[in-house]
Amino acid sequence: MGKILVTGGLGYIGSHTVVALHESGYSVLIVDDLSNSERTVLQGLEKIIGFTPEFIELDLRDKAAVKNIFDQHSFDGVIHFAASKAVGESVENPLLYYENNINALVYVLQNCVAHGVHNFIFSSSCTVYGEPDYLPIDESAPIKRALSPYGNTKQIAEEILHDLCKVSDLRTILLRYFNPIGAHDSALIGELPKGVPQNLVPFITQTAAGLREQLSVFGDDYPTADGSCIRDYIHVMDLAEAHVVALDRLVKKAQQEPVEVFNLGTGQGNSVLEVIKTFEEATSVTLPYKIVGRREGDVIAVYADTKKATQVLGWSTQRDLATSLSSAWAWEKRIRGL
Ligand code: NAD
Ligand code: WQD
């Protein structure tokens, strides 16, 4: 099997995808600038796959360094995870997001074209849909004006890839992730949010571990069954395995068009209060929480129509919400020595 460049491969989803790639016989080169991850992730990967994957610390905004990577290595494909992903931060610091999420992508793509690397998988997000007009949401749903610079970088990136694939041999699969949660069964890799977690599940597990006093539930006055927002929480290993299926499709030249788009979710929507209840039942930990005001920019409900990924990729999620939350808790306990 070929060698795959995994940018951002020491990050949350990238590291789990490295495991799935190894299990399918791919070799990888991980490139990461450690801006939102730690070199110690390599130790977890080594314990899981039996050796330390090839890693080069590098900022993909360094155009010359990116060219050097492609000069030194021959890739059968690229999976591009590297990006800044904090929605709130993107509002305060839009240029950081446009530079990192667009320039770095362009430099990688320039080298893919120059070196004849045809297979490219891009980390997109359900955030490109904004507030859905209908649910579950499918890939043909309209792309609405982004609610944040972060979301806009994902929309722009998708447009860049469409434009490039029209005039080059690049073949790309855009994977629109819903809400990845959980950790590898070994609890040796997982989500490592820096500072106060912005996302629900790491905040839950840090609260359960006693690092946070209580969880704030951002609103229970939404037009949903229990008043809290609904999302599609997908186990990160289900997500990782989907990347291998997509890569196999490109490597085998089975894709039907230059750009293919797939939603990666469970197809199941769960409210914040349901997540809390499921966490408590799955872990026997009582979670202290309080209802507070709504968070700016939150969509009421979004969950995936998964028919296309199932019918075209032959992929669907294998792990349920309780399993995902239990794995997140096992990871939290291990890193906190509980
Ligand atoms: P993450 O922050 O854990 O991983 C991203 C990795 O990229 C980090 O290790 C970071 O150090 C690295 N990186 C960032 N900028 C870089 C640069 N200029 N050069 C080299 N490395 C760089 O994030 P994640 O949750 O694993 O997300 C991976 C991808 O999936 C991102 O593109 C993100 O936008 C997208 N995504 C994430 C979610 C989510 O909820 N986690 C949902 C939808 C889409
Ligand atoms: C989920 C639900 C919150 C924290 C974000 C990005 C999206 C993607 C995934 C990158 C919401 C509620 C949360 C808390 C809460 N990232 N919540 N208390 O907002 O769906 O998506 O991460 O692509 O782009 O927007 O995920 O985990 O932040 O929130 O009540 O302390 O949990 O209001 O309803 P979100 P989230």
Side-chain angles (χ1 to χ4, degrees), residues 113-166:
V113 173
H115 290 79
V117 178
H118 303 315
N119 303 317
F120 192 87
I121 293 176
F122 178 70
S123 297
S124 192
S125 169
C126 64
T127 207
V128 302
Y129 296 119
E131 184 76 64
D133 294 333
Y134 58 87
L135 289 169
I137 194 157
D138 61 20
E139 291 84 350
S140 56
I143 303 297
K144 294 192 179 162
R145 180 162 173 68
L147 297 171
S148 68
Y150 165 74
N152 200 26
T153 67
K154 291 302 180 184
Q155 292 182 0
I156 294 167
E158 291 196 0
E159 288 302 317
I160 289 170
L161 286 159
H162 276 285
D163 290 344
L164 181 57
C165 288
K166 285 177 191 150

Short mmCIF file of all heavy atoms in Angstrom, two decimals, residues 113-166:
data_model
loop_
_atom_site.label_atom_id
_atom_site.label_comp_id
_atom_site.label_asym_id
_atom_site.label_seq_id
_atom_site.Cartn_x
_atom_site.Cartn_y
_atom_site.Cartn_z
N VAL A 113 -0.04 19.04 -7.03
CA VAL A 113 -0.09 19.19 -8.50
C VAL A 113 1.32 19.06 -9.09
O VAL A 113 1.54 18.32 -10.05
CB VAL A 113 -0.73 20.55 -8.88
CG1 VAL A 113 -0.63 20.79 -10.38
CG2 VAL A 113 -2.19 20.59 -8.43
N ALA A 114 2.27 19.74 -8.48
CA ALA A 114 3.64 19.74 -9.03
C ALA A 114 4.27 18.35 -8.99
O ALA A 114 5.09 18.01 -9.85
CB ALA A 114 4.51 20.72 -8.24
N HIS A 115 3.87 17.55 -8.02
CA HIS A 115 4.50 16.23 -7.86
C HIS A 115 3.59 15.08 -8.28
O HIS A 115 3.86 13.92 -7.99
CB HIS A 115 4.93 16.02 -6.39
CG HIS A 115 6.09 16.89 -6.00
ND1 HIS A 115 5.94 18.22 -5.68
CD2 HIS A 115 7.42 16.63 -5.89
CE1 HIS A 115 7.12 18.74 -5.39
NE2 HIS A 115 8.04 17.80 -5.51
N GLY A 116 2.47 15.43 -8.94
CA GLY A 116 1.59 14.37 -9.46
C GLY A 116 0.93 13.52 -8.39
O GLY A 116 0.71 12.31 -8.59
N VAL A 117 0.62 14.14 -7.25
CA VAL A 117 -0.14 13.42 -6.20
C VAL A 117 -1.62 13.68 -6.46
O VAL A 117 -2.09 14.82 -6.36
CB VAL A 117 0.26 13.91 -4.80
CG1 VAL A 117 -0.57 13.20 -3.73
CG2 VAL A 117 1.76 13.69 -4.56
N HIS A 118 -2.34 12.65 -6.84
CA HIS A 118 -3.71 12.87 -7.33
C HIS A 118 -4.78 12.71 -6.27
O HIS A 118 -5.89 13.20 -6.44
CB HIS A 118 -4.01 11.88 -8.46
CG HIS A 118 -3.06 11.96 -9.61
ND1 HIS A 118 -2.67 13.16 -10.16
CD2 HIS A 118 -2.39 10.99 -10.29
CE1 HIS A 118 -1.81 12.93 -11.14
NE2 HIS A 118 -1.63 11.62 -11.24
N ASN A 119 -4.48 11.99 -5.19
CA ASN A 119 -5.53 11.61 -4.23
C ASN A 119 -5.50 12.49 -2.99
O ASN A 119 -4.51 12.51 -2.25
CB ASN A 119 -5.35 10.14 -3.83
CG ASN A 119 -5.36 9.24 -5.04
OD1 ASN A 119 -6.19 9.40 -5.95
ND2 ASN A 119 -4.41 8.31 -5.10
N PHE A 120 -6.60 13.20 -2.77
CA PHE A 120 -6.60 14.21 -1.70
C PHE A 120 -7.91 14.12 -0.91
O PHE A 120 -9.00 14.15 -1.50
CB PHE A 120 -6.47 15.61 -2.32
CG PHE A 120 -6.17 16.70 -1.34
CD1 PHE A 120 -4.86 17.00 -0.97
CD2 PHE A 120 -7.20 17.43 -0.75
CE1 PHE A 120 -4.58 18.01 -0.07
CE2 PHE A 120 -6.93 18.44 0.17
CZ PHE A 120 -5.61 18.73 0.50
N ILE A 121 -7.77 14.00 0.39
CA ILE A 121 -8.96 13.97 1.27
C ILE A 121 -8.91 15.20 2.17
O ILE A 121 -7.88 15.49 2.79
CB ILE A 121 -9.00 12.67 2.10
CG1 ILE A 121 -9.23 11.49 1.15
CG2 ILE A 121 -10.11 12.72 3.16
CD1 ILE A 121 -9.20 10.14 1.81
N PHE A 122 -10.04 15.90 2.23
CA PHE A 122 -10.09 17.16 2.98
C PHE A 122 -11.04 17.07 4.15
O PHE A 122 -12.17 16.58 4.02
CB PHE A 122 -10.51 18.31 2.05
CG PHE A 122 -10.64 19.62 2.76
CD1 PHE A 122 -9.50 20.28 3.23
CD2 PHE A 122 -11.88 20.18 3.01
CE1 PHE A 122 -9.60 21.47 3.92
CE2 PHE A 122 -11.99 21.39 3.69
CZ PHE A 122 -10.85 22.04 4.14
N SER A 123 -10.59 17.58 5.31
CA SER A 123 -11.42 17.66 6.52
C SER A 123 -12.36 18.84 6.42
O SER A 123 -11.98 19.97 6.69
CB SER A 123 -10.55 17.88 7.76
OG SER A 123 -9.69 16.83 7.97
N SER A 124 -13.60 18.55 6.04
CA SER A 124 -14.58 19.62 6.05
C SER A 124 -15.49 19.42 7.26
O SER A 124 -15.19 18.65 8.17
CB SER A 124 -15.36 19.68 4.74
OG SER A 124 -16.08 20.90 4.68
N SER A 125 -16.57 20.15 7.28
CA SER A 125 -17.38 20.19 8.50
C SER A 125 -18.83 20.47 8.17
O SER A 125 -19.14 21.19 7.21
CB SER A 125 -16.85 21.31 9.41
OG SER A 125 -17.73 21.56 10.48
N CYS A 126 -19.72 19.94 9.00
CA CYS A 126 -21.16 20.22 8.83
C CYS A 126 -21.43 21.71 9.05
O CYS A 126 -22.52 22.21 8.74
CB CYS A 126 -21.98 19.37 9.78
SG CYS A 126 -21.68 19.72 11.54
N THR A 127 -20.44 22.39 9.57
CA THR A 127 -20.59 23.83 9.80
C THR A 127 -20.84 24.58 8.50
O THR A 127 -21.40 25.68 8.49
CB THR A 127 -19.36 24.36 10.56
OG1 THR A 127 -19.71 25.51 11.32
CG2 THR A 127 -18.21 24.67 9.64
N VAL A 128 -20.46 23.97 7.37
CA VAL A 128 -20.68 24.64 6.08
C VAL A 128 -22.17 24.79 5.77
O VAL A 128 -22.57 25.65 4.97
CB VAL A 128 -19.97 23.92 4.90
CG1 VAL A 128 -18.48 23.82 5.14
CG2 VAL A 128 -20.58 22.57 4.62
N TYR A 129 -23.01 23.98 6.42
CA TYR A 129 -24.45 24.05 6.15
C TYR A 129 -25.13 25.19 6.90
O TYR A 129 -26.27 25.56 6.57
CB TYR A 129 -25.13 22.73 6.54
CG TYR A 129 -24.69 21.52 5.75
CD1 TYR A 129 -24.08 20.43 6.39
CD2 TYR A 129 -24.87 21.45 4.37
CE1 TYR A 129 -23.69 19.30 5.68
CE2 TYR A 129 -24.48 20.32 3.66
CZ TYR A 129 -23.89 19.26 4.31
OH TYR A 129 -23.50 18.14 3.61
N GLY A 130 -24.48 25.67 7.97
CA GLY A 130 -25.16 26.70 8.78
C GLY A 130 -26.39 26.11 9.45
O GLY A 130 -26.43 24.92 9.78
N GLU A 131 -27.45 26.91 9.57
CA GLU A 131 -28.71 26.42 10.17
C GLU A 131 -29.49 25.68 9.09
O GLU A 131 -29.93 26.28 8.11
CB GLU A 131 -29.54 27.60 10.68
CG GLU A 131 -30.82 27.20 11.41
CD GLU A 131 -30.57 26.69 12.83
OE1 GLU A 131 -30.09 27.48 13.67
OE2 GLU A 131 -30.84 25.50 13.09
N PRO A 132 -29.63 24.35 9.21
CA PRO A 132 -30.25 23.57 8.13
C PRO A 132 -31.70 23.97 7.87
O PRO A 132 -32.43 24.36 8.78
CB PRO A 132 -30.20 22.13 8.66
CG PRO A 132 -29.23 22.13 9.77
CD PRO A 132 -29.25 23.51 10.36
N ASP A 133 -32.12 23.87 6.60
CA ASP A 133 -33.53 24.11 6.24
C ASP A 133 -34.35 22.85 6.47
O ASP A 133 -35.56 22.91 6.60
CB ASP A 133 -33.62 24.48 4.74
CG ASP A 133 -32.93 25.82 4.46
OD1 ASP A 133 -32.88 26.66 5.41
OD2 ASP A 133 -32.43 26.01 3.35
N TYR A 134 -33.68 21.71 6.48
CA TYR A 134 -34.38 20.44 6.67
C TYR A 134 -33.42 19.47 7.36
O TYR A 134 -32.21 19.61 7.28
CB TYR A 134 -34.90 19.87 5.34
CG TYR A 134 -33.82 19.63 4.28
CD1 TYR A 134 -33.11 18.44 4.23
CD2 TYR A 134 -33.51 20.62 3.35
CE1 TYR A 134 -32.13 18.22 3.28
CE2 TYR A 134 -32.52 20.42 2.39
CZ TYR A 134 -31.84 19.21 2.36
OH TYR A 134 -30.86 19.01 1.41
N LEU A 135 -33.99 18.45 7.99
CA LEU A 135 -33.20 17.44 8.70
C LEU A 135 -33.79 16.06 8.43
O LEU A 135 -35.01 15.93 8.29
CB LEU A 135 -33.21 17.73 10.21
CG LEU A 135 -32.42 18.96 10.67
CD1 LEU A 135 -32.75 19.27 12.12
CD2 LEU A 135 -30.93 18.74 10.49
N PRO A 136 -32.97 15.00 8.41
CA PRO A 136 -31.51 15.07 8.44
C PRO A 136 -30.98 15.78 7.19
O PRO A 136 -31.65 15.82 6.17
CB PRO A 136 -31.08 13.60 8.46
CG PRO A 136 -32.20 12.86 7.83
CD PRO A 136 -33.45 13.61 8.19
N ILE A 137 -29.79 16.31 7.32
CA ILE A 137 -29.25 17.14 6.24
C ILE A 137 -28.39 16.28 5.31
O ILE A 137 -27.59 15.47 5.77
CB ILE A 137 -28.46 18.33 6.82
CG1 ILE A 137 -28.19 19.36 5.73
CG2 ILE A 137 -27.18 17.91 7.53
CD1 ILE A 137 -27.94 20.75 6.27
N ASP A 138 -28.62 16.43 4.01
CA ASP A 138 -27.83 15.65 3.04
C ASP A 138 -26.84 16.55 2.33
O ASP A 138 -26.85 17.77 2.47
CB ASP A 138 -28.76 14.94 2.06
CG ASP A 138 -29.58 15.91 1.24
OD1 ASP A 138 -29.20 17.09 1.14
OD2 ASP A 138 -30.62 15.51 0.70
N GLU A 139 -26.01 15.93 1.50
CA GLU A 139 -24.88 16.65 0.88
C GLU A 139 -25.34 17.67 -0.15
O GLU A 139 -24.58 18.55 -0.53
CB GLU A 139 -23.92 15.64 0.23
CG GLU A 139 -23.15 14.78 1.21
CD GLU A 139 -23.92 13.55 1.68
OE1 GLU A 139 -25.14 13.44 1.40
OE2 GLU A 139 -23.32 12.70 2.37
N SER A 140 -26.60 17.55 -0.60
CA SER A 140 -27.06 18.53 -1.60
C SER A 140 -27.74 19.73 -0.94
O SER A 140 -28.27 20.60 -1.62
CB SER A 140 -28.03 17.84 -2.57
OG SER A 140 -29.09 17.27 -1.82
N ALA A 141 -27.71 19.77 0.38
CA ALA A 141 -28.30 20.92 1.08
C ALA A 141 -27.53 22.19 0.72
O ALA A 141 -26.32 22.13 0.46
CB ALA A 141 -28.25 20.69 2.58
N PRO A 142 -28.22 23.32 0.70
CA PRO A 142 -27.52 24.56 0.32
C PRO A 142 -26.44 24.93 1.33
O PRO A 142 -26.58 24.71 2.52
CB PRO A 142 -28.64 25.60 0.32
CG PRO A 142 -29.73 25.04 1.15
CD PRO A 142 -29.63 23.56 1.02
N ILE A 143 -25.34 25.47 0.77
CA ILE A 143 -24.27 26.00 1.63
C ILE A 143 -24.66 27.44 1.96
O ILE A 143 -24.86 28.25 1.06
CB ILE A 143 -22.91 25.98 0.90
CG1 ILE A 143 -22.57 24.57 0.44
CG2 ILE A 143 -21.81 26.57 1.78
CD1 ILE A 143 -22.40 23.56 1.53
N LYS A 144 -24.82 27.73 3.23
CA LYS A 144 -25.28 29.06 3.61
C LYS A 144 -24.10 29.94 4.02
O LYS A 144 -23.02 29.44 4.30
CB LYS A 144 -26.26 28.95 4.76
CG LYS A 144 -27.54 28.24 4.36
CD LYS A 144 -28.58 28.42 5.42
CE LYS A 144 -29.88 27.75 5.07
NZ LYS A 144 -30.71 27.58 6.29
N ARG A 145 -24.36 31.22 4.11
CA ARG A 145 -23.30 32.15 4.54
C ARG A 145 -22.75 31.68 5.89
O ARG A 145 -23.51 31.41 6.82
CB ARG A 145 -23.88 33.56 4.67
CG ARG A 145 -22.85 34.60 5.12
CD ARG A 145 -23.27 36.02 4.83
NE ARG A 145 -22.32 36.97 5.43
CZ ARG A 145 -21.05 37.13 5.03
NH1 ARG A 145 -20.60 36.39 4.02
NH2 ARG A 145 -20.25 38.00 5.61
N ALA A 146 -21.43 31.55 5.95
CA ALA A 146 -20.80 30.99 7.15
C ALA A 146 -21.11 31.86 8.37
O ALA A 146 -21.22 33.08 8.28
CB ALA A 146 -19.30 30.90 6.94
N LEU A 147 -21.23 31.17 9.52
CA LEU A 147 -21.54 31.88 10.77
C LEU A 147 -20.27 32.32 11.48
O LEU A 147 -20.31 32.97 12.52
CB LEU A 147 -22.35 30.94 11.68
CG LEU A 147 -23.72 30.50 11.13
CD1 LEU A 147 -24.33 29.40 12.00
CD2 LEU A 147 -24.66 31.70 11.03
N SER A 148 -19.10 31.92 10.94
CA SER A 148 -17.83 32.30 11.58
C SER A 148 -16.73 32.28 10.53
O SER A 148 -16.86 31.59 9.50
CB SER A 148 -17.47 31.31 12.69
OG SER A 148 -17.15 30.05 12.11
N PRO A 149 -15.63 32.99 10.76
CA PRO A 149 -14.50 32.89 9.84
C PRO A 149 -14.01 31.44 9.70
O PRO A 149 -13.66 30.99 8.61
CB PRO A 149 -13.44 33.77 10.49
CG PRO A 149 -14.22 34.79 11.26
CD PRO A 149 -15.42 34.04 11.77
N TYR A 150 -14.06 30.70 10.80
CA TYR A 150 -13.66 29.28 10.72
C TYR A 150 -14.52 28.55 9.69
O TYR A 150 -14.02 27.89 8.78
CB TYR A 150 -13.78 28.58 12.07
CG TYR A 150 -13.72 27.09 11.94
CD1 TYR A 150 -12.52 26.45 11.67
CD2 TYR A 150 -14.89 26.32 12.00
CE1 TYR A 150 -12.47 25.08 11.49
CE2 TYR A 150 -14.85 24.94 11.80
CZ TYR A 150 -13.65 24.33 11.56
OH TYR A 150 -13.60 22.97 11.36
N GLY A 151 -15.83 28.68 9.85
CA GLY A 151 -16.73 28.00 8.90
C GLY A 151 -16.51 28.49 7.49
O GLY A 151 -16.55 27.71 6.53
N ASN A 152 -16.18 29.79 7.35
CA ASN A 152 -15.92 30.34 6.02
C ASN A 152 -14.67 29.71 5.39
O ASN A 152 -14.64 29.43 4.19
CB ASN A 152 -15.77 31.87 6.11
CG ASN A 152 -15.98 32.56 4.78
OD1 ASN A 152 -16.70 32.05 3.91
ND2 ASN A 152 -15.36 33.71 4.61
N THR A 153 -13.66 29.44 6.24
CA THR A 153 -12.45 28.81 5.69
C THR A 153 -12.75 27.43 5.13
O THR A 153 -12.16 26.99 4.15
CB THR A 153 -11.29 28.71 6.71
OG1 THR A 153 -11.63 27.80 7.76
CG2 THR A 153 -10.93 30.08 7.26
N LYS A 154 -13.69 26.75 5.72
CA LYS A 154 -14.07 25.42 5.22
C LYS A 154 -14.83 25.55 3.90
O LYS A 154 -14.62 24.79 2.96
CB LYS A 154 -14.91 24.66 6.24
CG LYS A 154 -14.15 24.24 7.49
CD LYS A 154 -12.96 23.36 7.16
CE LYS A 154 -12.19 22.94 8.39
NZ LYS A 154 -10.98 22.15 8.10
N GLN A 155 -15.69 26.56 3.82
CA GLN A 155 -16.42 26.77 2.56
C GLN A 155 -15.45 27.18 1.45
O GLN A 155 -15.51 26.66 0.33
CB GLN A 155 -17.50 27.84 2.75
CG GLN A 155 -18.63 27.41 3.67
CD GLN A 155 -19.70 28.49 3.81
OE1 GLN A 155 -19.60 29.57 3.22
NE2 GLN A 155 -20.72 28.20 4.60
N ILE A 156 -14.53 28.10 1.76
CA ILE A 156 -13.55 28.56 0.76
C ILE A 156 -12.67 27.39 0.32
O ILE A 156 -12.40 27.20 -0.87
CB ILE A 156 -12.69 29.70 1.35
CG1 ILE A 156 -13.54 30.94 1.60
CG2 ILE A 156 -11.50 30.02 0.44
CD1 ILE A 156 -12.84 32.00 2.46
N ALA A 157 -12.25 26.58 1.27
CA ALA A 157 -11.39 25.43 0.95
C ALA A 157 -12.11 24.48 -0.01
O ALA A 157 -11.51 23.99 -0.98
CB ALA A 157 -10.99 24.70 2.23
N GLU A 158 -13.38 24.25 0.23
CA GLU A 158 -14.14 23.38 -0.67
C GLU A 158 -14.20 23.98 -2.07
O GLU A 158 -14.03 23.27 -3.08
CB GLU A 158 -15.56 23.13 -0.13
CG GLU A 158 -15.62 22.27 1.12
CD GLU A 158 -17.03 21.73 1.39
OE1 GLU A 158 -17.96 22.01 0.61
OE2 GLU A 158 -17.19 21.01 2.39
N GLU A 159 -14.37 25.27 -2.15
CA GLU A 159 -14.42 25.94 -3.47
C GLU A 159 -13.06 25.83 -4.17
O GLU A 159 -12.98 25.58 -5.37
CB GLU A 159 -14.78 27.43 -3.29
CG GLU A 159 -16.22 27.67 -2.90
CD GLU A 159 -17.19 27.09 -3.93
OE1 GLU A 159 -16.95 27.25 -5.14
OE2 GLU A 159 -18.16 26.43 -3.51
N ILE A 160 -11.98 26.02 -3.41
CA ILE A 160 -10.63 25.90 -3.98
C ILE A 160 -10.46 24.51 -4.60
O ILE A 160 -9.97 24.35 -5.71
CB ILE A 160 -9.56 26.15 -2.89
CG1 ILE A 160 -9.53 27.62 -2.49
CG2 ILE A 160 -8.18 25.68 -3.35
CD1 ILE A 160 -8.68 27.92 -1.25
N LEU A 161 -10.90 23.50 -3.86
CA LEU A 161 -10.74 22.12 -4.34
C LEU A 161 -11.60 21.87 -5.58
O LEU A 161 -11.14 21.23 -6.54
CB LEU A 161 -11.06 21.14 -3.21
CG LEU A 161 -9.95 21.09 -2.15
CD1 LEU A 161 -10.46 20.55 -0.83
CD2 LEU A 161 -8.76 20.27 -2.66
N HIS A 162 -12.81 22.39 -5.60
CA HIS A 162 -13.63 22.26 -6.81
C HIS A 162 -12.94 22.92 -8.00
O HIS A 162 -12.83 22.34 -9.08
CB HIS A 162 -15.00 22.92 -6.60
CG HIS A 162 -16.00 22.05 -5.91
ND1 HIS A 162 -16.64 21.00 -6.53
CD2 HIS A 162 -16.45 22.06 -4.64
CE1 HIS A 162 -17.46 20.41 -5.67
NE2 HIS A 162 -17.37 21.04 -4.52
N ASP A 163 -12.43 24.12 -7.80
CA ASP A 163 -11.78 24.86 -8.91
C ASP A 163 -10.53 24.12 -9.40
O ASP A 163 -10.30 24.00 -10.61
CB ASP A 163 -11.39 26.28 -8.46
CG ASP A 163 -12.60 27.18 -8.26
OD1 ASP A 163 -13.70 26.82 -8.74
OD2 ASP A 163 -12.45 28.22 -7.60
N LEU A 164 -9.74 23.60 -8.45
CA LEU A 164 -8.48 22.94 -8.84
C LEU A 164 -8.76 21.63 -9.57
O LEU A 164 -8.09 21.29 -10.56
CB LEU A 164 -7.62 22.70 -7.60
CG LEU A 164 -6.26 22.04 -7.84
CD1 LEU A 164 -5.42 22.85 -8.83
CD2 LEU A 164 -5.52 21.87 -6.52
N CYS A 165 -9.76 20.90 -9.11
CA CYS A 165 -10.03 19.59 -9.72
C CYS A 165 -10.56 19.74 -11.15
O CYS A 165 -10.51 18.81 -11.95
CB CYS A 165 -10.99 18.79 -8.86
SG CYS A 165 -10.23 18.20 -7.34
N LYS A 166 -11.05 20.94 -11.48
CA LYS A 166 -11.52 21.17 -12.86
C LYS A 166 -10.34 21.26 -13.83
O LYS A 166 -10.48 20.99 -15.02
CB LYS A 166 -12.30 22.50 -12.94
CG LYS A 166 -13.69 22.44 -12.35
CD LYS A 166 -14.35 23.82 -12.41
CE LYS A 166 -15.64 23.86 -11.58
NZ LYS A 166 -15.91 25.20 -11.04
#
